[in-house]
Amino acid sequence: MNCPSNSFLQRLALAILICTVLIVLDFSHRATSLEPARAVQLDIAQANDGSALKRLDQGHIPMPPGVPAAHAANLLSMPQGHPWTVLAFWFAGSKEAAPDVRIVAAFFDRSAKQWSGSRIVMDRQTLSKQLGHGVSRLGNPVAWRDRQGRIHLFVVATGMGGWAASRIVHLRQDGPSLDLKDMRFKLQRTLPLSWLWNYSYLVRATPQPLQDGGMVLPVYFELGKLVPVALRFDAQGGFRGMVRMSAKTHLLQPHILTLTDAHWVALMRNSSATRKVAATQTFDGGAHWQDMPDLELHNPDSSLAGMQLSKSMMVMAHNTSVHSRSALDLSVSANAVNWVNAANLASNQNSEFSYPSMVWVDNMLWVTYTDQRRSIAWQRFAVIPSKP
Amino acid sequence: MDLSALLNALVATDSPSLPGVLTASVALRCMWAVVLAVLLVALLKRQSQRVQIAAAVAVVLWAFLPGSLSVAYWLGLAFMLPSWMMVALCLRWLYHHIHRSNVAVVEMQASGGMRFAQLLLAFLGVVFGWLLMADMLLWLPIMHSVYAWGFSVSAVVVATLLAVVPWLLWGVRMLPPDGGVISVLVLPVLVLIAFVFTRLPTGNLWDALLDPWLWAVLHVYLIQKLVNFVRRKPVQAV
């Protein structure tokens, strides 16, 4: 910078050199751009238009001893041959947003055909130590397994100010342990999503796997206004950008259903007075989204979960009451717009059944939901094809 | 790579380069240590040099204490990391304080063009902060995120081109060889260099150039300048 000459041309040359070097260095730090996202789709043979759901089993996942509250479970399917069928993560403690809330996990043993005891896999203190700074509260774990079989865990970790000060922290399984007792998670990073000290993003829904080995993680912004956002990750779990999913500002907790590998519909919780399930869609694998009219289904400002089982069958778990979470049902659809009730998961006028999650594994649909904020209930269903 | 592929690569926001966990963890303590130490020295600037040094050392040690004993633990909980620009401004102030440069006098002696450019830089910081805030709070009628643009190469290109304009106009007058004042117009280039090499604080360029606290300080600075202009009092240095 202390150039001996003051001539403009020499300064111009130096400026061009500085710009070129900086830009080339910046380019060199970056991975190549990704190909357009294309979803991995299931194609279950017996899942077609008119198929029915038949309940096979149900129960409650064991809670840690002496822990009274549980919420927001997320299911992760395990591959064929793995000793576990599914792994469930949820948060548990004295109550939601309490400082003692921890992330808990349990697995369904494939051979024993029963749930393991639950174990704590992450707490505030361990996460704070890895971050180097404090964490006020934990919540909403969401899991994803990459192609190397490593489990990635995304959790909500708040700063100062309740859920409005939420950040999303990305962790990854440390070591290949198949023993839940030894399962450890190592910090990857706090996802950089917002200029205001990285507030106020939360995660809730299951990631949508992509054909390139990566995934799209639906998240949402919640600070006054509410907006759903899609985050893209590559096959190694590297964060690769964010895209807003809706122009509306009262929608949260998007859940992606795929009609084709590039045409997706996201169904969302609706906090407005319309009390209907909201929808947005993309035709280019999440690069651009357009709002759709609200569905006819009621949504009492509650979380839902859905997945595509075949090209003609999608299934969704959602609260069907207008004003409460006292009824939780499964519905099916061929197009993600028109839905038909298929099964009742739980209902009781004075109770709350909420925050469902679902996966398809071992030829069965597994569903979990929060049972009155005290435990995580689970059910599994077979899909019965319609008669020709 | 053909031209369209190059242009796509420039504007793409899907290839961010983010800092590593260890880098971010170390930087958390270092950056807050610098900011707090300089703030404390500024508050104690009328005290003896010995008191100022002791206070600065105490704050730095406080930042590097383990776990929740560290002030950086609590600042990180609330505010993550400060921007590189905040750190650079603090270090600039400290440099001049150590060399006892009379910033106010030398800035008065700077050309009118340079003084205007410094004011313009502060004004642009305020405006851009409002744009980022409006983007975050969803006040803008657009689907694209301004914050996400900070992950792209094009953001670095635009910022770099703007940052070298003062050098083109005023050259070495921004860096007087006699130990005088370093113009703030030098800082954007230094911040860009720091960002490109470290990707701190978050991998997003906007977080490196401006943080909410710095944005608030710029409001105070501009209001102070405006009040002084109206009253036609001598200019106070930042």
Side-chain angles (χ1 to χ4, degrees), chain A residues 1 6 11 26 29-31 33 134 167 188 195-196 199 240 244, chain B residues 14-15 21 28 73 77-78 135-136 151 167-168 172 196 199 210:
Chain A
M1 294 285 266
N6 284 328
R11 292 203 302 277
D26 184 76
H29 274 108
R30 298 172 184 265
S33 265
R167 302 176 179 126
Q188 298 302 291
W195 178 67
L196 186 70
Y199 301 148
R240 301 300 288 268
R244 281 200 191 134
Chain B
D14 68 348
S15 54
V21 171
L28 174 76
Y73 177 96
L77 179 157
D135 173 59
M136 192 201 74
F151 290 122
W167 167 251
L168 285 175
V172 293
V196 165
R199 317 311 295 188
L210 186 69

PDB file of all heavy atoms in Angstrom, chain A residues 1 6 11 26 29-31 33 134 167 188 195-196 199 240 244, chain B residues 14-15 21 28 73 77-78 135-136 151 167-168 172 196 199 210:
ATOM      1  N   MET A   1       0.830  -1.185   0.000  1.00  0.00           N
ATOM      2  CA  MET A   1       0.000   0.000   0.000  1.00  0.00           C
ATOM      3  C   MET A   1       0.874   1.248   0.000  1.00  0.00           C
ATOM      4  O   MET A   1       0.447   2.279  -0.501  1.00  0.00           O
ATOM      5  CB  MET A   1      -0.932   0.028   1.215  1.00  0.00           C
ATOM      6  CG  MET A   1      -1.963  -1.078   1.177  1.00  0.00           C
ATOM      7  SD  MET A   1      -3.245  -0.735  -0.010  1.00  0.00           S
ATOM      8  CE  MET A   1      -4.454   0.035   1.013  1.00  0.00           C
ATOM      9  N   ASN A   6       2.692   8.286  -6.871  1.00  0.00           N
ATOM     10  CA  ASN A   6       1.310   8.686  -6.686  1.00  0.00           C
ATOM     11  C   ASN A   6       0.520   8.666  -7.953  1.00  0.00           C
ATOM     12  O   ASN A   6      -0.599   9.116  -8.002  1.00  0.00           O
ATOM     13  CB  ASN A   6       1.271  10.098  -6.078  1.00  0.00           C
ATOM     14  CG  ASN A   6       1.604  10.069  -4.599  1.00  0.00           C
ATOM     15  OD1 ASN A   6       1.307   9.108  -3.929  1.00  0.00           O
ATOM     16  ND2 ASN A   6       2.246  11.113  -4.111  1.00  0.00           N
ATOM     17  N   ARG A  11      -1.641   3.455  -9.386  1.00  0.00           N
ATOM     18  CA  ARG A  11      -2.612   3.056  -8.343  1.00  0.00           C
ATOM     19  C   ARG A  11      -3.689   2.170  -8.964  1.00  0.00           C
ATOM     20  O   ARG A  11      -4.150   1.215  -8.347  1.00  0.00           O
ATOM     21  CB  ARG A  11      -3.237   4.287  -7.690  1.00  0.00           C
ATOM     22  CG  ARG A  11      -2.260   5.092  -6.875  1.00  0.00           C
ATOM     23  CD  ARG A  11      -2.986   5.919  -5.820  1.00  0.00           C
ATOM     24  NE  ARG A  11      -3.971   6.831  -6.388  1.00  0.00           N
ATOM     25  CZ  ARG A  11      -3.692   8.025  -6.887  1.00  0.00           C
ATOM     26  NH1 ARG A  11      -2.442   8.454  -6.942  1.00  0.00           N
ATOM     27  NH2 ARG A  11      -4.653   8.808  -7.342  1.00  0.00           N
ATOM     28  N   ASP A  26     -10.677 -15.858  -3.103  1.00  0.00           N
ATOM     29  CA  ASP A  26     -12.024 -16.169  -2.627  1.00  0.00           C
ATOM     30  C   ASP A  26     -12.595 -17.360  -3.381  1.00  0.00           C
ATOM     31  O   ASP A  26     -13.153 -18.282  -2.784  1.00  0.00           O
ATOM     32  CB  ASP A  26     -12.928 -14.944  -2.793  1.00  0.00           C
ATOM     33  CG  ASP A  26     -14.303 -15.193  -2.233  1.00  0.00           C
ATOM     34  OD1 ASP A  26     -14.459 -15.173  -0.991  1.00  0.00           O
ATOM     35  OD2 ASP A  26     -15.237 -15.424  -3.021  1.00  0.00           O
ATOM     36  N   HIS A  29     -11.375 -20.762  -2.304  1.00  0.00           N
ATOM     37  CA  HIS A  29     -11.873 -21.306  -1.038  1.00  0.00           C
ATOM     38  C   HIS A  29     -13.179 -22.059  -1.209  1.00  0.00           C
ATOM     39  O   HIS A  29     -13.618 -22.759  -0.315  1.00  0.00           O
ATOM     40  CB  HIS A  29     -12.115 -20.166  -0.037  1.00  0.00           C
ATOM     41  CG  HIS A  29     -10.897 -19.792   0.747  1.00  0.00           C
ATOM     42  ND1 HIS A  29     -10.209 -18.620   0.537  1.00  0.00           N
ATOM     43  CD2 HIS A  29     -10.234 -20.435   1.733  1.00  0.00           C
ATOM     44  CE1 HIS A  29      -9.187 -18.565   1.375  1.00  0.00           C
ATOM     45  NE2 HIS A  29      -9.170 -19.646   2.104  1.00  0.00           N
ATOM     46  N   ARG A  30     -13.819 -21.860  -2.361  1.00  0.00           N
ATOM     47  CA  ARG A  30     -15.191 -22.357  -2.493  1.00  0.00           C
ATOM     48  C   ARG A  30     -15.274 -23.668  -3.260  1.00  0.00           C
ATOM     49  O   ARG A  30     -14.495 -23.920  -4.167  1.00  0.00           O
ATOM     50  CB  ARG A  30     -16.038 -21.310  -3.236  1.00  0.00           C
ATOM     51  CG  ARG A  30     -16.141 -19.994  -2.496  1.00  0.00           C
ATOM     52  CD  ARG A  30     -16.826 -18.949  -3.358  1.00  0.00           C
ATOM     53  NE  ARG A  30     -16.836 -17.653  -2.694  1.00  0.00           N
ATOM     54  CZ  ARG A  30     -17.854 -17.199  -1.967  1.00  0.00           C
ATOM     55  NH1 ARG A  30     -18.937 -17.930  -1.824  1.00  0.00           N
ATOM     56  NH2 ARG A  30     -17.790 -16.016  -1.380  1.00  0.00           N
ATOM     57  N   ALA A  31     -16.265 -24.466  -2.883  1.00  0.00           N
ATOM     58  CA  ALA A  31     -16.548 -25.683  -3.644  1.00  0.00           C
ATOM     59  C   ALA A  31     -17.293 -25.291  -4.920  1.00  0.00           C
ATOM     60  O   ALA A  31     -17.809 -24.179  -5.022  1.00  0.00           O
ATOM     61  CB  ALA A  31     -17.413 -26.614  -2.799  1.00  0.00           C
ATOM     62  N   SER A  33     -20.259 -25.111  -7.627  1.00  0.00           N
ATOM     63  CA  SER A  33     -21.713 -25.036  -7.469  1.00  0.00           C
ATOM     64  C   SER A  33     -22.331 -26.417  -7.672  1.00  0.00           C
ATOM     65  O   SER A  33     -21.797 -27.249  -8.396  1.00  0.00           O
ATOM     66  CB  SER A  33     -22.301 -24.093  -8.522  1.00  0.00           C
ATOM     67  OG  SER A  33     -22.447 -22.819  -7.988  1.00  0.00           O
ATOM     68  N   GLY A 134     -22.146 -19.732  25.429  1.00  0.00           N
ATOM     69  CA  GLY A 134     -23.299 -20.288  26.122  1.00  0.00           C
ATOM     70  C   GLY A 134     -24.450 -20.646  25.209  1.00  0.00           C
ATOM     71  O   GLY A 134     -24.561 -20.176  24.075  1.00  0.00           O
ATOM     72  N   ARG A 167     -31.151 -20.358  17.262  1.00  0.00           N
ATOM     73  CA  ARG A 167     -30.205 -20.611  16.178  1.00  0.00           C
ATOM     74  C   ARG A 167     -30.254 -22.111  15.895  1.00  0.00           C
ATOM     75  O   ARG A 167     -30.681 -22.892  16.740  1.00  0.00           O
ATOM     76  CB  ARG A 167     -28.777 -20.231  16.585  1.00  0.00           C
ATOM     77  CG  ARG A 167     -28.635 -18.777  17.004  1.00  0.00           C
ATOM     78  CD  ARG A 167     -27.228 -18.484  17.484  1.00  0.00           C
ATOM     79  NE  ARG A 167     -27.127 -17.083  17.864  1.00  0.00           N
ATOM     80  CZ  ARG A 167     -26.694 -16.665  19.063  1.00  0.00           C
ATOM     81  NH1 ARG A 167     -26.330 -17.542  19.987  1.00  0.00           N
ATOM     82  NH2 ARG A 167     -26.624 -15.371  19.332  1.00  0.00           N
ATOM     83  N   GLN A 188     -20.472 -29.235  14.080  1.00  0.00           N
ATOM     84  CA  GLN A 188     -20.009 -28.824  12.759  1.00  0.00           C
ATOM     85  C   GLN A 188     -20.004 -27.302  12.671  1.00  0.00           C
ATOM     86  O   GLN A 188     -19.048 -26.693  12.236  1.00  0.00           O
ATOM     87  CB  GLN A 188     -20.922 -29.410  11.669  1.00  0.00           C
ATOM     88  CG  GLN A 188     -20.928 -30.930  11.650  1.00  0.00           C
ATOM     89  CD  GLN A 188     -19.545 -31.504  11.444  1.00  0.00           C
ATOM     90  OE1 GLN A 188     -18.954 -31.399  10.374  1.00  0.00           O
ATOM     91  NE2 GLN A 188     -19.003 -32.138  12.470  1.00  0.00           N
ATOM     92  N   TRP A 195     -28.464 -11.951   9.776  1.00  0.00           N
ATOM     93  CA  TRP A 195     -27.498 -10.912  10.120  1.00  0.00           C
ATOM     94  C   TRP A 195     -27.586 -10.497  11.581  1.00  0.00           C
ATOM     95  O   TRP A 195     -26.605 -10.115  12.195  1.00  0.00           O
ATOM     96  CB  TRP A 195     -27.737  -9.696   9.215  1.00  0.00           C
ATOM     97  CG  TRP A 195     -26.840  -8.546   9.483  1.00  0.00           C
ATOM     98  CD1 TRP A 195     -25.482  -8.496   9.273  1.00  0.00           C
ATOM     99  CD2 TRP A 195     -27.215  -7.281  10.015  1.00  0.00           C
ATOM    100  NE1 TRP A 195     -25.000  -7.264   9.654  1.00  0.00           N
ATOM    101  CE2 TRP A 195     -26.035  -6.505  10.113  1.00  0.00           C
ATOM    102  CE3 TRP A 195     -28.429  -6.718  10.436  1.00  0.00           C
ATOM    103  CZ2 TRP A 195     -26.040  -5.192  10.594  1.00  0.00           C
ATOM    104  CZ3 TRP A 195     -28.421  -5.417  10.908  1.00  0.00           C
ATOM    105  CH2 TRP A 195     -27.235  -4.675  10.991  1.00  0.00           C
ATOM    106  N   LEU A 196     -28.817 -10.579  12.153  1.00  0.00           N
ATOM    107  CA  LEU A 196     -29.002 -10.136  13.531  1.00  0.00           C
ATOM    108  C   LEU A 196     -28.557 -11.239  14.472  1.00  0.00           C
ATOM    109  O   LEU A 196     -29.389 -12.018  14.962  1.00  0.00           O
ATOM    110  CB  LEU A 196     -30.463  -9.755  13.778  1.00  0.00           C
ATOM    111  CG  LEU A 196     -30.749  -9.133  15.154  1.00  0.00           C
ATOM    112  CD1 LEU A 196     -30.148  -7.733  15.239  1.00  0.00           C
ATOM    113  CD2 LEU A 196     -32.253  -9.061  15.406  1.00  0.00           C
ATOM    114  N   TYR A 199     -29.999 -14.837  14.737  1.00  0.00           N
ATOM    115  CA  TYR A 199     -31.367 -15.156  15.162  1.00  0.00           C
ATOM    116  C   TYR A 199     -32.287 -15.097  13.942  1.00  0.00           C
ATOM    117  O   TYR A 199     -31.998 -14.360  13.017  1.00  0.00           O
ATOM    118  CB  TYR A 199     -31.845 -14.146  16.210  1.00  0.00           C
ATOM    119  CG  TYR A 199     -31.033 -14.034  17.481  1.00  0.00           C
ATOM    120  CD1 TYR A 199     -30.922 -12.823  18.160  1.00  0.00           C
ATOM    121  CD2 TYR A 199     -30.403 -15.143  18.031  1.00  0.00           C
ATOM    122  CE1 TYR A 199     -30.212 -12.702  19.350  1.00  0.00           C
ATOM    123  CE2 TYR A 199     -29.676 -15.038  19.203  1.00  0.00           C
ATOM    124  CZ  TYR A 199     -29.587 -13.815  19.859  1.00  0.00           C
ATOM    125  OH  TYR A 199     -28.888 -13.715  21.039  1.00  0.00           O
ATOM    126  N   ARG A 240     -24.988 -25.330   1.912  1.00  0.00           N
ATOM    127  CA  ARG A 240     -24.848 -24.824   0.561  1.00  0.00           C
ATOM    128  C   ARG A 240     -25.911 -23.798   0.200  1.00  0.00           C
ATOM    129  O   ARG A 240     -26.269 -23.657  -0.974  1.00  0.00           O
ATOM    130  CB  ARG A 240     -24.843 -25.978  -0.442  1.00  0.00           C
ATOM    131  CG  ARG A 240     -23.731 -26.985  -0.232  1.00  0.00           C
ATOM    132  CD  ARG A 240     -22.353 -26.370  -0.332  1.00  0.00           C
ATOM    133  NE  ARG A 240     -22.029 -26.024  -1.690  1.00  0.00           N
ATOM    134  CZ  ARG A 240     -21.396 -26.814  -2.539  1.00  0.00           C
ATOM    135  NH1 ARG A 240     -20.989 -27.979  -2.158  1.00  0.00           N
ATOM    136  NH2 ARG A 240     -21.147 -26.418  -3.779  1.00  0.00           N
ATOM    137  N   ARG A 244     -35.901 -18.776   0.326  1.00  0.00           N
ATOM    138  CA  ARG A 244     -37.221 -18.580   0.946  1.00  0.00           C
ATOM    139  C   ARG A 244     -38.250 -19.387   0.187  1.00  0.00           C
ATOM    140  O   ARG A 244     -38.220 -19.455  -1.037  1.00  0.00           O
ATOM    141  CB  ARG A 244     -37.619 -17.106   0.910  1.00  0.00           C
ATOM    142  CG  ARG A 244     -36.962 -16.321   1.969  1.00  0.00           C
ATOM    143  CD  ARG A 244     -37.648 -15.032   2.270  1.00  0.00           C
ATOM    144  NE  ARG A 244     -36.729 -14.271   3.125  1.00  0.00           N
ATOM    145  CZ  ARG A 244     -36.423 -13.008   2.973  1.00  0.00           C
ATOM    146  NH1 ARG A 244     -36.969 -12.301   2.016  1.00  0.00           N
ATOM    147  NH2 ARG A 244     -35.564 -12.422   3.782  1.00  0.00           N
TER     148      ARG A 244
ATOM    149  N   ASP B  14     -24.760 -20.842  -3.589  1.00  0.00           N
ATOM    150  CA  ASP B  14     -24.748 -22.204  -3.063  1.00  0.00           C
ATOM    151  C   ASP B  14     -23.341 -22.761  -2.883  1.00  0.00           C
ATOM    152  O   ASP B  14     -23.161 -23.971  -2.800  1.00  0.00           O
ATOM    153  CB  ASP B  14     -25.568 -23.133  -3.979  1.00  0.00           C
ATOM    154  CG  ASP B  14     -24.907 -23.342  -5.334  1.00  0.00           C
ATOM    155  OD1 ASP B  14     -23.947 -22.603  -5.653  1.00  0.00           O
ATOM    156  OD2 ASP B  14     -25.338 -24.249  -6.073  1.00  0.00           O
ATOM    157  N   SER B  15     -22.354 -21.907  -2.858  1.00  0.00           N
ATOM    158  CA  SER B  15     -21.004 -22.395  -2.603  1.00  0.00           C
ATOM    159  C   SER B  15     -20.311 -21.530  -1.553  1.00  0.00           C
ATOM    160  O   SER B  15     -19.228 -20.999  -1.781  1.00  0.00           O
ATOM    161  CB  SER B  15     -20.185 -22.434  -3.889  1.00  0.00           C
ATOM    162  OG  SER B  15     -20.213 -21.172  -4.529  1.00  0.00           O
ATOM    163  N   VAL B  21     -14.694 -25.038  12.895  1.00  0.00           N
ATOM    164  CA  VAL B  21     -15.155 -24.928  14.282  1.00  0.00           C
ATOM    165  C   VAL B  21     -14.067 -24.358  15.178  1.00  0.00           C
ATOM    166  O   VAL B  21     -14.302 -23.452  15.980  1.00  0.00           O
ATOM    167  CB  VAL B  21     -15.595 -26.313  14.804  1.00  0.00           C
ATOM    168  CG1 VAL B  21     -15.861 -26.269  16.295  1.00  0.00           C
ATOM    169  CG2 VAL B  21     -16.820 -26.794  14.068  1.00  0.00           C
ATOM    170  N   LEU B  28     -13.633 -16.260  18.479  1.00  0.00           N
ATOM    171  CA  LEU B  28     -14.638 -15.727  19.412  1.00  0.00           C
ATOM    172  C   LEU B  28     -13.941 -15.005  20.562  1.00  0.00           C
ATOM    173  O   LEU B  28     -14.284 -13.868  20.905  1.00  0.00           O
ATOM    174  CB  LEU B  28     -15.492 -16.879  19.936  1.00  0.00           C
ATOM    175  CG  LEU B  28     -16.496 -16.538  21.014  1.00  0.00           C
ATOM    176  CD1 LEU B  28     -17.706 -15.826  20.437  1.00  0.00           C
ATOM    177  CD2 LEU B  28     -16.966 -17.800  21.743  1.00  0.00           C
ATOM    178  N   TYR B  73     -17.765 -16.088  26.484  1.00  0.00           N
ATOM    179  CA  TYR B  73     -18.816 -17.108  26.581  1.00  0.00           C
ATOM    180  C   TYR B  73     -20.188 -16.438  26.542  1.00  0.00           C
ATOM    181  O   TYR B  73     -21.101 -16.877  25.829  1.00  0.00           O
ATOM    182  CB  TYR B  73     -18.613 -17.879  27.878  1.00  0.00           C
ATOM    183  CG  TYR B  73     -19.645 -18.931  28.210  1.00  0.00           C
ATOM    184  CD1 TYR B  73     -19.430 -20.270  27.898  1.00  0.00           C
ATOM    185  CD2 TYR B  73     -20.829 -18.599  28.871  1.00  0.00           C
ATOM    186  CE1 TYR B  73     -20.357 -21.244  28.234  1.00  0.00           C
ATOM    187  CE2 TYR B  73     -21.765 -19.558  29.197  1.00  0.00           C
ATOM    188  CZ  TYR B  73     -21.518 -20.882  28.890  1.00  0.00           C
ATOM    189  OH  TYR B  73     -22.435 -21.843  29.229  1.00  0.00           O
ATOM    190  N   LEU B  77     -22.869 -16.035  23.399  1.00  0.00           N
ATOM    191  CA  LEU B  77     -24.244 -16.517  23.559  1.00  0.00           C
ATOM    192  C   LEU B  77     -25.213 -15.498  22.974  1.00  0.00           C
ATOM    193  O   LEU B  77     -26.138 -15.838  22.255  1.00  0.00           O
ATOM    194  CB  LEU B  77     -24.533 -16.745  25.051  1.00  0.00           C
ATOM    195  CG  LEU B  77     -25.923 -17.237  25.472  1.00  0.00           C
ATOM    196  CD1 LEU B  77     -25.848 -17.934  26.824  1.00  0.00           C
ATOM    197  CD2 LEU B  77     -26.930 -16.121  25.573  1.00  0.00           C
ATOM    198  N   ALA B  78     -24.993 -14.235  23.297  1.00  0.00           N
ATOM    199  CA  ALA B  78     -25.939 -13.200  22.871  1.00  0.00           C
ATOM    200  C   ALA B  78     -25.647 -12.704  21.456  1.00  0.00           C
ATOM    201  O   ALA B  78     -26.565 -12.522  20.662  1.00  0.00           O
ATOM    202  CB  ALA B  78     -25.908 -12.036  23.853  1.00  0.00           C
ATOM    203  N   ASP B 135     -34.461  -6.825   5.349  1.00  0.00           N
ATOM    204  CA  ASP B 135     -34.444  -8.158   4.736  1.00  0.00           C
ATOM    205  C   ASP B 135     -34.761  -9.223   5.772  1.00  0.00           C
ATOM    206  O   ASP B 135     -35.576 -10.109   5.557  1.00  0.00           O
ATOM    207  CB  ASP B 135     -33.061  -8.395   4.121  1.00  0.00           C
ATOM    208  CG  ASP B 135     -32.875  -9.807   3.614  1.00  0.00           C
ATOM    209  OD1 ASP B 135     -33.658 -10.228   2.750  1.00  0.00           O
ATOM    210  OD2 ASP B 135     -31.941 -10.495   4.078  1.00  0.00           O
ATOM    211  N   MET B 136     -34.154  -9.109   6.930  1.00  0.00           N
ATOM    212  CA  MET B 136     -34.346 -10.108   7.970  1.00  0.00           C
ATOM    213  C   MET B 136     -35.773 -10.078   8.512  1.00  0.00           C
ATOM    214  O   MET B 136     -36.368 -11.117   8.774  1.00  0.00           O
ATOM    215  CB  MET B 136     -33.370  -9.881   9.119  1.00  0.00           C
ATOM    216  CG  MET B 136     -33.301 -11.036  10.095  1.00  0.00           C
ATOM    217  SD  MET B 136     -32.661 -10.551  11.682  1.00  0.00           S
ATOM    218  CE  MET B 136     -34.026  -9.673  12.341  1.00  0.00           C
ATOM    219  N   PHE B 151     -23.166 -14.727   0.630  1.00  0.00           N
ATOM    220  CA  PHE B 151     -22.424 -15.968   0.458  1.00  0.00           C
ATOM    221  C   PHE B 151     -21.809 -16.082  -0.938  1.00  0.00           C
ATOM    222  O   PHE B 151     -21.102 -17.047  -1.219  1.00  0.00           O
ATOM    223  CB  PHE B 151     -23.341 -17.182   0.675  1.00  0.00           C
ATOM    224  CG  PHE B 151     -23.782 -17.377   2.098  1.00  0.00           C
ATOM    225  CD1 PHE B 151     -25.126 -17.408   2.418  1.00  0.00           C
ATOM    226  CD2 PHE B 151     -22.855 -17.544   3.113  1.00  0.00           C
ATOM    227  CE1 PHE B 151     -25.541 -17.600   3.736  1.00  0.00           C
ATOM    228  CE2 PHE B 151     -23.255 -17.742   4.432  1.00  0.00           C
ATOM    229  CZ  PHE B 151     -24.604 -17.767   4.736  1.00  0.00           C
ATOM    230  N   TRP B 167      -8.557   4.312  -2.651  1.00  0.00           N
ATOM    231  CA  TRP B 167      -7.130   4.192  -2.991  1.00  0.00           C
ATOM    232  C   TRP B 167      -6.861   4.838  -4.350  1.00  0.00           C
ATOM    233  O   TRP B 167      -5.869   5.550  -4.532  1.00  0.00           O
ATOM    234  CB  TRP B 167      -6.723   2.717  -2.992  1.00  0.00           C
ATOM    235  CG  TRP B 167      -5.393   2.449  -3.620  1.00  0.00           C
ATOM    236  CD1 TRP B 167      -5.153   1.835  -4.808  1.00  0.00           C
ATOM    237  CD2 TRP B 167      -4.105   2.810  -3.112  1.00  0.00           C
ATOM    238  NE1 TRP B 167      -3.803   1.781  -5.065  1.00  0.00           N
ATOM    239  CE2 TRP B 167      -3.128   2.378  -4.044  1.00  0.00           C
ATOM    240  CE3 TRP B 167      -3.679   3.468  -1.940  1.00  0.00           C
ATOM    241  CZ2 TRP B 167      -1.772   2.573  -3.843  1.00  0.00           C
ATOM    242  CZ3 TRP B 167      -2.328   3.653  -1.762  1.00  0.00           C
ATOM    243  CH2 TRP B 167      -1.388   3.212  -2.702  1.00  0.00           C
ATOM    244  N   LEU B 168      -7.761   4.630  -5.294  1.00  0.00           N
ATOM    245  CA  LEU B 168      -7.593   5.240  -6.612  1.00  0.00           C
ATOM    246  C   LEU B 168      -7.611   6.761  -6.502  1.00  0.00           C
ATOM    247  O   LEU B 168      -6.882   7.458  -7.206  1.00  0.00           O
ATOM    248  CB  LEU B 168      -8.710   4.776  -7.544  1.00  0.00           C
ATOM    249  CG  LEU B 168      -8.586   3.346  -8.080  1.00  0.00           C
ATOM    250  CD1 LEU B 168      -9.831   2.979  -8.895  1.00  0.00           C
ATOM    251  CD2 LEU B 168      -7.355   3.209  -8.951  1.00  0.00           C
ATOM    252  N   VAL B 172      -1.622   7.238  -1.385  1.00  0.00           N
ATOM    253  CA  VAL B 172      -0.864   7.079  -0.138  1.00  0.00           C
ATOM    254  C   VAL B 172      -1.279   8.107   0.910  1.00  0.00           C
ATOM    255  O   VAL B 172      -0.863   8.015   2.056  1.00  0.00           O
ATOM    256  CB  VAL B 172       0.653   7.167  -0.377  1.00  0.00           C
ATOM    257  CG1 VAL B 172       1.111   5.985  -1.193  1.00  0.00           C
ATOM    258  CG2 VAL B 172       1.038   8.471  -1.029  1.00  0.00           C
ATOM    259  N   VAL B 196     -11.397 -12.985   3.347  1.00  0.00           N
ATOM    260  CA  VAL B 196     -11.079 -13.975   2.318  1.00  0.00           C
ATOM    261  C   VAL B 196     -10.155 -15.057   2.882  1.00  0.00           C
ATOM    262  O   VAL B 196     -10.294 -16.241   2.563  1.00  0.00           O
ATOM    263  CB  VAL B 196     -10.461 -13.283   1.083  1.00  0.00           C
ATOM    264  CG1 VAL B 196      -9.796 -14.286   0.170  1.00  0.00           C
ATOM    265  CG2 VAL B 196     -11.535 -12.512   0.334  1.00  0.00           C
ATOM    266  N   ARG B 199     -12.475 -16.390   6.448  1.00  0.00           N
ATOM    267  CA  ARG B 199     -13.922 -16.623   6.300  1.00  0.00           C
ATOM    268  C   ARG B 199     -14.683 -16.241   7.584  1.00  0.00           C
ATOM    269  O   ARG B 199     -15.866 -16.499   7.685  1.00  0.00           O
ATOM    270  CB  ARG B 199     -14.266 -18.070   5.951  1.00  0.00           C
ATOM    271  CG  ARG B 199     -13.403 -18.718   4.914  1.00  0.00           C
ATOM    272  CD  ARG B 199     -13.210 -17.875   3.672  1.00  0.00           C
ATOM    273  NE  ARG B 199     -14.413 -17.654   2.915  1.00  0.00           N
ATOM    274  CZ  ARG B 199     -14.459 -17.073   1.729  1.00  0.00           C
ATOM    275  NH1 ARG B 199     -13.336 -16.626   1.179  1.00  0.00           N
ATOM    276  NH2 ARG B 199     -15.601 -16.912   1.100  1.00  0.00           N
ATOM    277  N   LEU B 210     -20.111  -5.647   8.640  1.00  0.00           N
ATOM    278  CA  LEU B 210     -20.998  -4.858   9.509  1.00  0.00           C
ATOM    279  C   LEU B 210     -21.719  -5.773  10.482  1.00  0.00           C
ATOM    280  O   LEU B 210     -22.277  -6.774  10.068  1.00  0.00           O
ATOM    281  CB  LEU B 210     -22.029  -4.130   8.635  1.00  0.00           C
ATOM    282  CG  LEU B 210     -22.967  -3.146   9.315  1.00  0.00           C
ATOM    283  CD1 LEU B 210     -22.213  -1.918   9.793  1.00  0.00           C
ATOM    284  CD2 LEU B 210     -24.077  -2.724   8.347  1.00  0.00           C
TER     285      LEU B 210
END
